Amino acid sequence: MSRAKRVSAPVLDLVWDDLRLRFPGQKNPVLDGVGLRLEAGRTLGLLGESGSGKSLSTLAALGLLPRSAIHVGGTIRLGDTDLLSLDARARRRLLGATLGAVFQDPSTALNPYLTVGFQMSEGLRRIDGIPGREAREICLEALETCRIREPRRALRSRPHELSGGEKQRVLIAMATVRHPDFLLADEPTTALDVATRGAVLEVLLERGHDLGMGLLLVSHDIFLLGECVEQMAVMYAGRIVESGPTRRLLTSPRHPYTRGLLAAAPRLEGPRGRLPEIPGHPPAVDERLPGCPFAPRCSLALPSCAQERPAWVSLGEEGGFACPVTETEG
Amino acid sequence: MSGAVSLPIRKSWTLRVSFAFLLLVGGLALATPYLDLADPDAQNLELGPTAPSTEHWFGTDPLGRDLLSRTLYGARISLLVGLVGTAVAVGIGVLYGMLAGWWGGRADLLMMRVVDLLYGLPYMFFVIVLMVWFGRSMINLFIGLGAVSWLTMARIVRGQVLSLRGRDYVLAARATGLPTRVILRKHILPNIAAPVLVYATLTVPRVMLEEAFLSFLGLGVQPPAASWGSLISEGAVLFREYPWLVLVPGAILSVTLLALNFFGDGLRDRMAAEDHPA
Amino acid sequence: MLTRLLLGVLTLLAILVASFFLQRIAPGGPFDLERDMPEAARQALIREWGLDRPVPEQLGLYLKGLCRFPPDLKRSMVQPDYTVWEIVGPRLQVSASLGFAALCIALVLGIPLGVLAAVHDGKMADRVTMLVALTGVAVPAFVLGPLLKWIFALELGWLPESRWVGPANMVLPAFTLAALPLATAARLVRSEMGTILRGDVVRTARSQGLSERRVVFVHALPGALVPVIPWLGPATASLVTGSVVVERIFDIPGLGTTFIDGAFNRDYTLVMGTVIVYSILLILMNLLTDGLLVLLDPRARSARS
Ligand code: SF4
């Protein structure tokens, strides 16, 4: 399959630049300098444990953060546009059209009172002004490419009549029905049956590929990401600790946390969820150290680690990482 | 996660203000006989009804009785009825709820079904009938109000017991062959005391409101005793000419009910926050 | 649905039996109030009404009358010139229109208030709305009624102060009666709406780029209305209770007053008649509620079809 090229203007990259967020009542920022680059038409994996801030990073780009979140600094840019400084209306215009999103739990994401067809076609009809019949055809096609069996029946049905895997596929079709340039998928298979995960992930990747979308795949599973994304970023305690091409991360990881993750689970059928081999837990937001947040769990930690914030070590094409200790390894 | 941090602060503010107000009302009600007040029953027909003045802060009623003094004495009755009625309601509700929760299964289903049904009835009519047909005594008032105010309590207790029933220490107590009565009293009751107290706080304003409702219909506290409700009722007759006769006790009743509700809600939120620390 | 109906009939029967027995075991009777009635005449009346027979037998006779078509509610014991229906019928009309108006006001104002508060969660609009709602709960009808009357009838003179002769007379009593259910509806909707607005369904809708108005009204509102429906039953019960007070304040010849008067006069047949009318009303309301829930709940609906 060849990458479907867009006829329209070249699509810009989606860039998180030193994004920092805080919640009231907490003294430490929950996102502490997140930097990511999701290139147009490419795939990026965002890896992190729950509470690391990976979902917040996604929601921030969509403008769907909890209302209490405070923007401390940094930007999320699409070309020259800073998404965080857009007003609500302008930001809304991007959603569905430029940025699509798929979330974790398909069982609660669809509106139980409305038919699948209504929900799917709503953006087409209401925002793009496409007449109902035509919108229906577009939805049918999207459902078909997302391998929904009997798409006509699916359009007429209500969410509770679908299985979990079907629901997530419907949500993928729905998020992409207006052909956005980017698709942000936050743990899209975690809530599903083990048996259906692979198929749904395949649909997601295929759909992204066919439409030439930039795909951000958020997951806690390093091997899942390893098999499907080109670039990867590892998040820990609100920071990106390592990033780079997937191959490089898997074969020669530089940050001790990434190494720990790789050592934690065997390649095949590895345990999901917890990463038990690294002792300890990620710190709560207000228990994070001023220096390297990983220090309490790191076997290489030096006394200075807890105090000084590790500088970013760039590896050029090969990404980079944030650890002065392994930097000297050469 | 963020809301949970800021919320209790706001809540505890209302909690404190309402608590202070309730202390004031309660204190005044207790102290009333020792205060240098006009006799609440002393009539002064020459004076008749007067608007609030420096001499009679709340004015006087058509019989020339001092409304401030009557309101304060009324507070004693209103609060008393509220507390005793609540005590009866708590007694019934806790017993009913504990048994339903303890028995579980079909008995529980049936008992809760009955509660559902009773919820849908205009139960005050029952109290009305009771007061009319069996005499307007204080005892009947307590029983009547208590008998119709236990439903929510029963639901809450039942839920608590249902969840406690499977706990280790309860199972252990059962295994040693302790009689149900003892288990319920020794092991279950102490553990549901906190929610029971909180919801009792929320029952008090409801019972007070119900008392006032009955008194307004002339079915509650009988003269010469007066509660806030009966003061309002007396005033309502002459409302056209002397609106303050209703508005003064009415305002006090409303603010007290508001404070009690705030206080109970605040306690409940605090308890919920302790159960599930954010 | 059929079991529901059966349960309703059973409830009705239980209420009837309970009120019947309550009446009979209470000391005193319907003909005690007329002091100057000679004892012989009193005894004759008691015999005529069958009050000297065993209570179960009386109950049987009464129930038998009810099973006729049209049901026989008997004559009023205290005003024997009228049948119970002749007294209850017109008053039911008054009370029903008052109650219906109040319920409409409560829903039409309460639901939007709840939505408004939820949408502005924690902001000024929310605080103000919820203060209004709390006031509705804490200010009883017998305080609110006179207050409204004082402001709008006596001071401003905009509305008639009492009685029941035209639509303008309905305004104050209907609003007085509506205050409590209005406040309750607003609180119900606010809390459910708040949960929904923070939930996944709304996040999906927002991620589609839909306007906030569409998100709130098309995606969040249906779910937020769900808890309002089962509440309609108890709400009707509280309207019935409240109507007693409102009728008294505004001098309205309604069913609540009839009930109280009947109870005071020990007019057994009149009380029973009122109880029956009220019970049927409440049972119908509950059936309606169940029907609406089935209609609204997608799971229940597809299970049926
Ligand atoms: S900076 Fe220190 S503590 Fe942090 S990962 Fe590197 S070695 Fe470990």
Side-chain angles (χ1 to χ4, degrees):
Chain A
M1 270 184 285
S2 68
R3 192 174 301 284
K5 275 276 175 260
R6 295 225 157 193
V7 220
S8 49
V11 183
L12 309 153
D13 297 349
L14 184 60
V15 178
W16 286 252
D17 187 4
D18 192 30
L19 179 63
R20 279 164 292 141
L21 291 181
R22 203 171 60 78
F23 279 118
Q26 295 178 337
K27 60 182 204 291
N28 288 338
V30 60
L31 292 189
D32 191 10
V34 173
L36 293 168
R37 173 177 288 267
L38 176 54
E39 288 174 49
R42 313 302 287 265
T43 51
L44 171 66
L46 180 57
L47 179 72
E49 289 168 88
S50 65
S52 62
K54 55 194 198 307
S55 293
L56 281 176
S57 305
T58 321
L59 291 174
L62 297 164
L64 296 177
L65 286 172
R67 202 154 33 185
S68 56
I70 302 163
H71 178 216
V72 183
T75 55
I76 302 178
R77 287 191 311 272
L78 184 62
D80 293 331
T81 327
D82 177 9
L83 299 187
L84 298 174
S85 64
L86 291 179
D87 64 20
R89 178 183 289 265
R91 200 184 297 191
R92 236 182 353 249
R93 220 172 293 139
L94 292 174
L95 292 177
T98 308
L99 301 174
V102 177
F103 301 104
Q104 178 165 348
D105 189 355
S107 67
T108 52
L110 287 163
N111 192 321
Y113 299 102
L114 305 172
T115 63
V116 167
F118 181 91
Q119 300 180 53
M120 263 191 90
S121 63
E122 213 178 353
L124 293 166
R125 286 180 290 118
R126 288 283 152 176
I127 301 167
D128 300 341
I130 295 172
R133 179 182 295 264
E134 212 174 303
R136 214 179 104 87
E137 289 305 315
I138 299 176
C139 293
L140 269 181
E141 195 205 304
L143 285 178
E144 249 162 53
T145 57
C146 290
R147 305 216 199 107
I148 292 280
R149 248 167 281 144
E150 297 183 69
R152 271 166 216 287
R153 177 195 56 88
L155 273 190
R156 274 195 312 272
S157 60
R158 266 159 225 280
H160 68 272
E161 297 166 52
L162 305 174
S163 73
E166 277 178 318
K167 272 185 228 169
Q168 194 63 309
R169 271 179 280 184
V170 163
L171 281 158
I172 293 170
M174 192 164 147
T176 56
V177 76
R178 292 169 65 207
H179 295 197
D181 301 320
F182 296 98
L183 182 60
L184 313 184
D186 186 359
E187 301 263 14
T189 60
T190 310
L192 298 176
D193 255 7
V194 186
T196 58
R197 281 183 189 173
V200 170
L201 194 61
E202 207 170 295
V203 162
L204 182 72
L205 293 169
E206 235 176 67
R207 184 83 177 148
H209 189 258
D210 291 351
L211 297 177
M213 291 186 295
L215 174 68
L216 177 72
L217 190 56
V218 178
S219 175
H220 61 270
D221 186 339
I222 191 168
F223 299 108
L224 180 144
L225 289 181
E227 278 161 28
C228 44
V229 294
E230 297 155 303
Q231 296 276 327
M232 214 192 277
V234 183
M235 222 176 153
Y236 189 80
R239 296 183 197 168
I240 304 290
V241 294
E242 179 158 18
S243 66
T246 304
R247 187 186 21 79
R248 202 272 295 159
L249 252 79
L250 294 182
T251 52
S252 55
R254 296 296 296 276
H255 196 278
Y257 179 59
T258 318
R259 291 178 181 171
L261 290 179
L262 280 169
R267 232 161 221 283
L268 290 170
E269 295 296 304
R272 287 158 300 270
R274 285 279 163 131
L275 302 155
E277 305 295 316
I278 308 178
H281 300 280
V285 174
D286 276 341
E287 288 160 12
R288 291 176 187 167
L289 299 168
C292 176
F294 189 55
R297 303 168 73 187
C298 180
S299 55
L300 303 178
L302 302 176
S304 61
C305 288
Q307 297 310 319
E308 282 159 45
R309 183 169 177 145
W312 184 254
V313 183
S314 174
L315 300 172
E317 283 289 291
E318 296 294 303
F321 60 98
C323 175
V325 177
T326 52
E327 182 187 0
T328 54
E329 286 173 3
Chain B
M1 50 176 130
S2 55
V5 182
S6 57
L7 213 65
I9 299 165
R10 206 177 71 201
K11 286 280 151 125
S12 73
W13 179 80
T14 54
L15 191 67
R16 247 176 267 159
V17 172
S18 50
F19 184 62
F21 179 80
L22 293 173
L23 271 186
L24 180 74
V25 172
L28 277 176
L30 282 179
T32 297
Y34 311 104
L35 296 177
D36 183 24
L37 288 167
D39 180 347
D41 299 327
Q43 304 186 357
N44 184 348
L45 293 175
E46 265 165 51
L47 181 62
T50 57
S53 63
T54 45
E55 192 164 339
H56 299 281
W57 290 1
F58 287 5
T60 53
D61 75 357
L63 299 177
R65 292 178 293 193
D66 179 55
L67 197 56
L68 172 65
S69 155
R70 286 178 70 68
T71 304
L72 282 178
Y73 277 94
R76 293 167 68 83
I77 307 264
S78 287
L79 292 175
L80 178 74
V81 175
L83 291 175
V84 177
T86 299
V88 175
V90 168
I92 303 176
V94 167
L95 191 67
Y96 192 95
M98 279 215 296
L99 290 179
W102 183 256
W103 286 331
R106 291 194 137 190
D108 174 42
L109 210 68
L110 190 75
M111 287 173 84
M112 284 303 120
R113 196 70 225 163
V114 169
V115 168
D116 285 345
L117 276 177
L118 292 180
Y119 255 115
L121 296 180
Y123 42 76
M124 282 312 290
F125 280 40
F126 165 75
V127 190
I128 292 175
V129 162
L130 191 75
M131 296 301 288
V132 174
W133 292 344
F134 293 86
R136 279 156 242 175
S137 70
M138 274 295 214
I139 298 291
N140 281 349
L141 190 59
F142 294 150
I143 294 175
L145 291 179
V148 297
S149 309
W150 55 271
L151 297 175
T152 307
M153 183 62 80
R155 268 193 188 168
I156 288 158
V157 168
R158 174 231 175 215
Q160 296 278 332
V161 173
L162 220 51
S163 74
L164 285 176
R165 207 167 55 145
R167 296 278 169 86
D168 289 345
Y169 61 91
V170 178
L171 293 177
R174 285 177 90 169
T176 57
L178 275 177
T180 304
R181 201 157 31 92
V182 179
I183 299 178
L184 286 182
R185 204 178 55 221
K186 287 258 159 78
H187 294 282
I188 303 273
L189 203 54
N191 282 298
I192 59 173
V196 165
L197 276 177
V198 168
Y199 282 92
T201 320
L202 283 167
T203 308
V204 175
R206 283 195 34 216
V207 175
M208 285 178 65
L209 184 64
E210 283 158 0
E211 182 276 326
F213 171 87
L214 285 176
S215 291
F216 178 78
L217 296 176
L219 293 172
V221 179
Q222 293 304 304
S227 69
W228 288 340
S230 61
L231 287 180
I232 295 170
S233 171
E234 287 169 17
V237 185
L238 296 159
F239 181 72
R240 248 187 108 90
E241 295 84 10
Y242 317 114
W244 72 87
L245 292 178
V246 170
L247 298 183
V248 168
I252 289 172
L253 171 68
S254 300
V255 174
T256 308
L257 293 179
L258 202 62
L260 276 163
N261 275 313
F262 265 131
F263 183 62
D265 277 345
L267 281 186
R268 187 178 52 189
D269 290 348
R270 178 168 283 196
M271 186 177 69
E274 272 164 24
D275 275 2
H276 313 279
Chain C
M1 211 61 180
L2 205 68
T3 53
R4 259 304 193 159
L5 196 65
L6 205 70
L7 205 70
V9 173
L10 270 177
T11 321
L12 176 63
L13 212 61
I15 296 172
L16 282 186
V17 174
S19 5
F20 205 88
F21 274 91
L22 205 61
Q23 260 175 1
R24 306 301 148 118
I25 55 169
F31 311 114
D32 297 350
L33 288 177
E34 289 165 74
R35 294 264 157 71
D36 44 357
M37 187 187 280
E39 189 52 32
R42 194 194 309 274
Q43 289 307 326
L45 269 176
I46 286 176
R47 219 164 311 122
E48 189 193 324
W49 283 99
L51 295 180
D52 50 348
R53 305 203 202 161
V55 178
E57 196 186 323
Q58 291 181 39
L59 177 65
L61 279 174
Y62 187 77
L63 290 180
K64 215 158 129 195
L66 285 184
C67 293
R68 291 227 193 86
F69 190 84
D72 180 10
L73 293 176
K74 307 277 194 262
R75 296 189 159 270
S76 159
M77 280 187 183
V78 176
Q79 300 159 264
D81 295 343
Y82 298 95
T83 65
V84 166
W85 183 246
E86 277 167 352
I87 299 175
V88 166
R91 289 164 174 238
L92 172 63
Q93 224 178 339
V94 171
S95 285
S97 36
L98 178 61
F100 186 70
L103 191 61
C104 288
I105 293 172
L107 293 176
V108 167
L109 295 182
I111 292 172
L113 273 183
V115 172
L116 187 79
V119 169
H120 295 274
D121 179 30
K123 293 191 212 148
M124 209 54 205
D126 176 28
R127 304 250 174 110
V128 172
T129 311
M130 282 304 114
L131 193 69
V132 170
L134 253 173
T135 315
V137 174
V139 181
F142 44 86
V143 176
L144 183 64
L147 188 69
L148 290 181
K149 199 152 107 172
W150 184 49
I151 299 174
F152 292 101
L154 300 180
E155 292 292 321
L156 297 172
W158 289 353
L159 290 161
E161 110 188 58
S162 54
R163 298 198 314 152
W164 192 256
V165 285
N169 296 65
M170 246 169 100
V171 177
L172 288 182
F175 271 92
T176 306
L177 190 54
L180 180 61
L182 190 159
T184 318
R187 286 169 73 157
L188 269 178
V189 170
R190 177 188 183 263
S191 108
E192 188 71 11
M193 191 78 175
T195 313
I196 293 176
L197 283 179
R198 271 174 263 119
D200 287 2
V201 167
V202 159
R203 188 178 57 183
T204 310
R206 286 195 177 133
S207 76
Q208 299 290 301
L210 300 174
S211 70
E212 199 55 23
R213 193 166 358 132
R214 250 190 117 66
V215 168
V216 169
F217 290 104
V218 177
H219 287 267
L221 192 57
L225 292 183
V226 170
V228 174
I229 293 169
W231 163 79
L232 285 177
T236 311
S238 97
L239 281 175
V240 165
T241 314
S243 71
V244 177
V245 165
V246 172
E247 284 168 18
R248 176 166 292 212
I249 295 170
F250 292 98
D251 203 5
I252 297 168
L255 207 51
T257 318
T258 311
F259 176 80
I260 304 271
D261 292 347
F264 266 106
N265 298 333
R266 308 301 292 273
D267 192 338
Y268 289 171
T269 45
L270 186 59
V271 169
M272 288 305 285
T274 339
V275 167
I276 290 172
V277 168
Y278 275 139
S279 310
I280 291 178
L281 177 81
L282 288 166
I283 288 164
L284 284 181
M285 202 62 199
N286 279 316
L287 283 176
L288 181 76
T289 300
D290 284 356
L292 278 178
L293 265 188
V294 171
L295 263 181
L296 206 71
D297 182 8
R299 265 147 296 236
R301 179 158 38 175
S302 70
R304 207 184 36 171
S305 61

